[in-house]
Amino acid sequence: MAKQMTGAEMVVEALKDQGVDLLFGYPGGAVLPIYDVLFHQEKVRHILVRHEQGAAHAAEGYARSSGKPGVLLVTSGPGATNTITGLTDALMDSIPLVCITGQVPTHLIGSDAFQECDTVGITRHCTKHNYLVKSVDDLPRILHEAFYVASNGRPGPVVIDIPKDVQFSTGTYTGPRNVHHKTYQPKLDADNDAIRRAAKMMAAAKRPIFYTGGGVINSGPAASTLLRELVSLTGFPITSTLMGLGAYPGSGPNWLGMLGMHGTFEANNAMHDCDLMIAVGARFDDRITGRLDAFSPGSKKIHIDIDRSSINKNVKVDLPIVGDCAHVLESLVRVWRAEAMHAEKQPLDAWWKKIGEWRERKSLAFRNSDKVIKPQYAVQRLYALTKDRDPYITTEVGQHQMWAAQHYHFDEPNRWMTSGGLGTMGYGLPAAIGAQLAHPKSLVVDIAGEASILMNIQEMSTAIQYRLPVKVFILNNEYMGMVRQWQELLHGGRYSHSYSEALPDFVKLAEAFGAKGIRCSDPADLDRAIQEMIDYDGPVIFDCLVEKNENCFPMIPSGKAHNDMLLADLSDDAGVELGSIIDEKGKMLV
Amino acid sequence: MNAPLTPPSPYSSPSSRSNVETHTLAVLVDNEPGVLARVVGLFSGRGYNIESLTVAEVAHGEHLSRITVVTSGTPETIEQIHHQLERLVPVHKVTDLTVSARSLERELAMVKVRGKGENRNAALQLGEAFRARVVDATTESFIFELTGKPDKIDEFVDLMRPIGLVEVSRTGVAAISRGPEPI
Ligand SMILES: Cc1ncc(C[n+]2csc(CCOP(=O)(O)OP(=O)(O)O)c2C)c(N)n1
Ligand SMILES: [Mg+2]
């Protein structure tokens, strides 16, 4: 239906037509016309963040926990530049975002006007696509196209930069129907041939493994259901990247735990020794592969991905399958069932037996203490006390993030939100706010570090304003622990600027915001304190004082192969040895 | 033109440069603002080489532009470049014209040469031999216009150097596949 309206009205109309019920934003001169339209309606709820980076991460948390694109609205200049980290984060982790930025009026563009910046220029490298809207006539098409581009194919962030005069001028609005994109039409279904070949390779495998990633989550809940079906039909073991946790249940019988730099012994060794690797929606990132020339040397590899450029980028594969995970998995399940296929039982049993031996190493084990809270123990207790509430977990970045991935288990997709590709400290709290808004009745916990949380702590105000009962569970080790660990391993224990000096009193800080503060340092008191946090109907900052010098194991040191892991028991009494484990070449790597 | 290829991941051993190939890619794009910046940004951001780049609108009504880019890298890198380009939202189609080996490549150059007496004659003779046209002349200079494969132009420019080469303006490579079919 064609209607006459202003550009600003079109923005809000398009949001409604796209089914957006929520957007995160921060006003300023260049978006005031849009804010004025928001004032007059109630369908689209505006959440006022406290920093535009917070808006981007909150939109990510909303998107990842709901499967819908996240939307943010910010002003020109500093408003736009403040979103850069969030946009880059969303690009790296393939999260659908639509970011609307105000721009100075068209005739002032290029004149270094007040709060002008080259938003499309700056964001070109951190968006999937972006637009500068030069005429109100283009605006409806661009708005709808942006949602299409953000959510289809490999999802990602899209920026729409709208000059203020375009927001004021009047034009004809058209709805989202018949958005046919001229150039962008991702392929969803794989060729039947490829599917058949994949099924045959799977049936012939003796030591197979599924290696799955965030693509399965992004593909939607059906992909996870189909993955579970295929795993149970085949009886193959499965591991996943940090991004893919929850696609296959963490309590499932075939689950080997996460793989990669801080993955389990069994997952990494199985990846190294397998004869068939079935990569589903995962991209062979360097945190996963370790040393490339020693990566799973004896295996054939099938790679299912919607992004053709992810295939053969880092690791050459034998059978590329370009398509959407859900579509491809559905075809695989169908073929596997229809032809009653199965892998030979005897070698598969032997493979599982081998995996059982690796599992025996209990690579996530740690030496617990009754004097001081071990961070791993804190996550384990948090898991035990919250798992029955179908919680949503976000994290910041550091050791606590890895401990959360190792010791918190996810039985459903879209429950785990962490900054994987970019590793953005400050992600967790705004992401938790986004997740909480998508799931108002659910328990949402940000497992945080004391350093990371200070990067976007201002968003506590947002939580208070909208009565969002997010829980910030800080594993406070008084160190940028992950940095300290690397300094121990690589730089002779010279802890250059990694001590968290001059920390605030987190309990008082919580109270200053109007939240509840809880502190716990006694393992014996931990359960009670966690329960108090859960029971409190409102936001909480939980200052969990943990062992300061704990290292995160297992670990594949930089430049090493999957079967060359550092295990916790090795490190316990080997402070001296640790420094010599990584060679000079490994130190060059990140 | 750019720095040598950087490995795609910090974990890979530096790629040997022995198997570096030069490929010509034809990229059909929607002629929207910023599309060239996206293509060029892709090359600079990911450390790929650009040896030559030409771009012009080819179908005015349809807002279609054709970018011809000559790049070099290992076969794996070329494959990556191909798929990375394909992934850009406004890109219609990417064709590697070098793979088929059935493509024509041409470049136009204008070459300014300055000289008197014998050098003047030498320049004119060489120009004829290369089928270059004189498009501007003064008593002490010529401008030649020359079309051909890039190495033919290189050759011509090299020959002009001792004679009195002043400057060269080249268009970069335009390429098309042979036969009746479009790319
Ligand atoms: C924005 C940003 N800056 C710097 C880093 C590098 N970095 C990675 S982990 C880390 C330390 C995090 O400390 P903390 O939040 O206390 O977590 P811990 O490792 O102690 O659990 C740092 C500085 C980063 N990932 N992100
Ligand atoms: Mg810390």
Side-chain angles (χ1 to χ4, degrees):
Chain A
M1 199 178 33
K3 277 188 276 184
Q4 290 295 112
M5 59 179 81
T6 66
E9 288 167 335
M10 289 180 184
V11 170
V12 178
E13 201 62 23
L15 294 182
K16 290 182 196 161
D17 282 347
Q18 289 290 339
V20 174
D21 47 12
L22 198 72
L23 87 163
F24 302 88
Y26 208 95
V31 280
L32 286 184
I34 300 172
Y35 270 85
D36 204 33
V37 180
L38 286 172
F39 188 76
H40 292 292
Q41 57 83 49
E42 252 146 38
K43 266 209 169 136
V44 184
R45 186 174 176 212
H46 177 273
I47 303 297
L48 179 70
V49 293
R50 297 302 187 269
H51 185 299
E52 290 87 349
Q53 184 188 355
H57 294 321
E60 285 188 274
Y62 177 85
R64 288 180 68 167
S65 65
S66 71
K68 298 201 282 181
V71 183
L72 57 153
L73 171 64
V74 300
T75 193
S76 65
T81 55
N82 271 348
T83 65
I84 300 300
T85 302
L87 294 172
T88 311
D89 194 90
L91 184 70
M92 293 288 273
D93 285 348
S94 309
I95 309 303
L97 294 189
V98 173
C99 171
I100 297 166
T101 56
Q103 182 55 278
V104 301
T106 322
H107 69 277
L108 286 182
I109 290 180
S111 70
D112 296 324
F114 178 62
Q115 296 198 325
E116 179 187 358
C117 74
D118 177 7
T119 300
V120 283
I122 294 171
T123 60
R124 191 166 289 130
H125 298 270
C126 59
T127 52
K128 182 172 170 186
H129 198 49
N130 62 8
Y131 304 87
L132 170 62
V133 186
K134 293 217 173 113
S135 153
V136 73
D137 301 329
D138 297 332
L139 186 56
R141 173 186 57 82
I142 289 176
L143 284 162
H144 298 305
E145 220 178 89
F147 278 89
Y148 170 83
V149 170
S151 352
N152 283 275
R154 179 173 175 179
V158 176
V159 163
I160 313 173
D161 197 28
I162 314 179
K164 198 168 178 180
D165 55 323
V166 174
Q167 299 173 33
F168 274 126
S169 41
T170 304
T172 311
Y173 175 77
T174 43
R177 266 151 302 151
N178 310 326
V179 196
H180 174 76
H181 201 280
K182 272 199 276 187
T183 48
Y184 192 66
Q185 285 130 19
K187 182 170 173 270
L188 299 178
D189 284 306
D191 315 328
N192 268 332
D193 247 21
I195 300 284
R196 264 169 209 292
R197 274 183 63 199
K200 277 208 187 109
M201 285 165 80
M202 285 163 63
K206 297 188 161 44
R207 299 184 308 281
I209 187 167
F210 283 106
Y211 148 52
T212 65
V216 182
I217 313 266
N218 277 336
S219 173
S224 294
T225 309
L226 288 157
L227 177 70
R228 291 161 190 221
E229 196 176 343
L230 190 61
V231 169
S232 102
L233 278 173
T234 55
F236 293 176
I238 174 168
T239 179
S240 150
T241 66
L242 182 72
M243 293 297 295
L245 298 177
Y248 183 83
S251 57
N254 297 32
W255 178 238
L256 303 191
M258 180 175 78
L259 83 161
M261 186 172 266
H262 292 289
T264 65
F265 190 69
E266 53 270 34
N268 284 331
N269 274 293
M271 284 288 279
H272 188 270
D273 285 3
C274 67
D275 73 344
L276 178 70
M277 179 185 299
I278 308 135
V280 193
R283 62 185 176 89
F284 295 89
D285 168 63
D286 55 67
R287 298 290 103 156
I288 293 307
T289 60
R291 208 174 112 187
L292 269 180
D293 56 6
F295 175 69
S296 195
S299 64
K300 290 239 179 294
K301 298 173 187 76
I302 301 171
H303 189 179
I304 301 166
D305 206 295
I306 194 145
D307 178 4
R308 180 64 183 80
S309 75
S310 280
I311 294 173
N312 290 345
K313 179 167 66 180
N314 299 332
V315 170
K316 193 127 187 90
V317 299
D318 301 277
L319 177 59
I321 301 183
V322 182
D324 174 62
C325 291
H327 285 71
V328 175
L329 288 170
E330 199 266 329
S331 311
L332 266 176
V333 167
R334 189 159 27 77
V335 168
W336 194 269
R337 270 192 194 289
E339 308 192 1
M341 297 174 92
H342 58 88
E344 235 181 289
K345 186 168 167 7
Q346 196 265 331
L348 194 58
D349 286 348
W351 179 227
W352 272 112
K353 187 159 166 285
K354 183 83 204 153
I355 289 170
E357 287 164 22
W358 287 322
R359 272 180 171 158
E360 281 305 303
R361 293 291 291 268
K362 300 207 184 319
S363 60
L364 297 180
F366 58 95
R367 202 167 288 170
N368 209 354
S369 156
D370 55 6
K371 308 238 159 25
V372 48
I373 301 176
K374 287 292 186 116
Q376 302 94 322
Y377 178 70
V379 176
Q380 285 183 344
R381 293 318 301 159
L382 182 70
Y383 174 62
L385 294 168
T386 57
K387 64 176 184 199
D388 295 333
R389 297 168 182 261
D390 192 17
Y392 291 78
I393 305 293
T394 71
T395 75
E396 308 289 336
V397 170
Q399 291 179 318
H400 63 274
Q401 176 189 29
M402 293 301 122
W403 283 317
Q406 292 173 339
H407 298 281
Y408 208 100
H409 307 292
F410 299 91
D411 281 347
E412 296 299 330
N414 303 100
R415 300 301 191 278
W416 162 247
M417 275 122 320
T418 191
S419 172
L422 197 62
T424 311
M425 293 169 69
Y427 171 87
L429 174 54
I433 286 173
Q436 186 79 75
L437 281 156
H439 306 277
K441 296 259 183 305
S442 298
L443 176 66
V444 180
V445 184
D446 170 25
I447 300 180
E450 84 294 335
S452 295
I453 193 62
L454 289 178
M455 286 213 177
N456 272 322
I457 191 71
Q458 77 285 346
E459 298 306 328
M460 278 309 287
S461 275
T462 311
I464 296 290
Q465 179 178 346
Y466 297 97
R467 300 175 194 284
L468 304 172
V470 293
K471 318 297 182 201
V472 178
F473 190 74
I474 304 175
L475 297 179
N476 185 347
N477 53 9
E478 287 180 31
Y479 273 105
M480 297 172 194
M482 193 56 97
V483 174
R484 191 202 54 71
Q485 177 167 348
W486 280 55
Q487 288 172 331
E488 180 179 336
L489 293 176
L490 300 164
H491 296 279
R494 293 178 295 280
Y495 299 129
S496 180
H497 304 278
S498 55
Y499 182 66
S500 287
E501 194 84 49
L503 282 176
D505 177 331
F506 283 109
V507 172
K508 282 193 186 146
L509 185 64
E511 287 161 6
F513 276 111
K516 182 180 179 63
I518 299 175
R519 179 171 294 121
C520 184
S521 57
D522 178 3
D525 191 34
L526 184 60
D527 277 21
R528 186 209 55 77
I530 291 176
Q531 197 56 50
E532 186 186 349
M533 171 182 87
I534 300 167
D535 291 342
Y536 182 72
D537 182 20
V540 175
I541 297 180
F542 189 118
D543 189 16
C544 188
L545 304 180
V546 298
E547 162 68 50
K548 298 185 187 17
N549 294 308
E550 193 76 10
N551 282 330
C552 183
F553 291 113
M555 177 179 186
I556 305 178
S558 303
K560 298 276 181 179
H562 272 170
N563 57 350
D564 215 352
M565 299 191 79
L566 287 182
L567 294 172
D569 45 2
L570 164 74
S571 66
D572 251 17
D573 39 15
V576 214
E577 245 181 85
L578 277 185
S580 58
I581 280 169
I582 301 176
D583 60 17
E584 283 307 313
K585 251 166 93 191
K587 287 184 192 176
M588 300 275 290
L589 308 174
V590 288
Chain B
M1 197 192 273
N2 285 334
L5 265 167
T6 43
S9 144
Y11 286 84
S12 62
S13 44
S15 55
S16 70
R17 243 167 314 141
S18 52
N19 56 344
V20 165
E21 301 173 357
T22 299
H23 282 234
T24 305
L25 306 177
V27 189
L28 273 186
V29 299
D30 222 36
N31 191 16
E32 60 175 51
V35 60
L36 184 61
R38 272 204 178 258
V39 169
V40 173
L42 173 82
F43 278 80
S44 63
R46 294 186 183 266
Y48 305 140
N49 291 314
I50 295 182
E51 290 182 0
S52 157
L53 179 88
T54 64
V55 53
E57 201 170 53
V58 287
H60 291 286
E62 298 156 52
H63 290 287
L64 218 57
S65 281
R66 181 162 171 142
I67 298 174
T68 308
V69 50
V70 180
T71 182
S72 61
T74 60
E76 295 78 29
T77 307
I78 303 278
E79 184 193 330
Q80 256 299 295
I81 294 174
H82 190 139
H83 296 306
Q84 290 288 353
L85 283 168
E86 262 173 350
R87 193 160 89 108
L88 298 180
V89 171
V91 167
H92 284 272
K93 192 166 191 194
V94 182
T95 307
D96 188 337
L97 291 169
T98 306
V99 166
S100 59
R102 274 178 49 82
S103 62
L104 292 167
E105 292 188 3
R106 291 294 179 270
E107 189 176 5
L108 183 143
M110 287 189 278
V111 183
K112 187 179 284 187
V113 184
R114 183 175 199 154
K116 295 206 159 158
E118 224 163 85
N119 277 350
R120 225 171 132 75
N121 287 333
L124 274 180
Q125 274 169 12
L126 280 170
E128 247 168 68
F130 277 78
R131 295 211 199 117
R133 287 201 307 146
V134 176
V135 289
D136 180 76
T138 69
T139 51
E140 49 168 337
S141 71
F142 289 117
I143 296 174
F144 292 102
E145 178 199 303
L146 170 72
T147 311
K149 289 188 183 158
D151 41 358
K152 176 179 160 189
I153 292 170
D154 290 345
E155 215 177 305
F156 184 72
V157 169
D158 284 345
L159 287 168
M160 286 298 159
R161 213 176 295 279
I163 293 173
L165 181 73
V166 179
E167 63 176 339
V168 186
S169 172
R170 299 170 70 149
T171 56
V173 174
I176 200 159
S177 62
R178 289 175 195 268
E181 299 305 324
I183 57 168

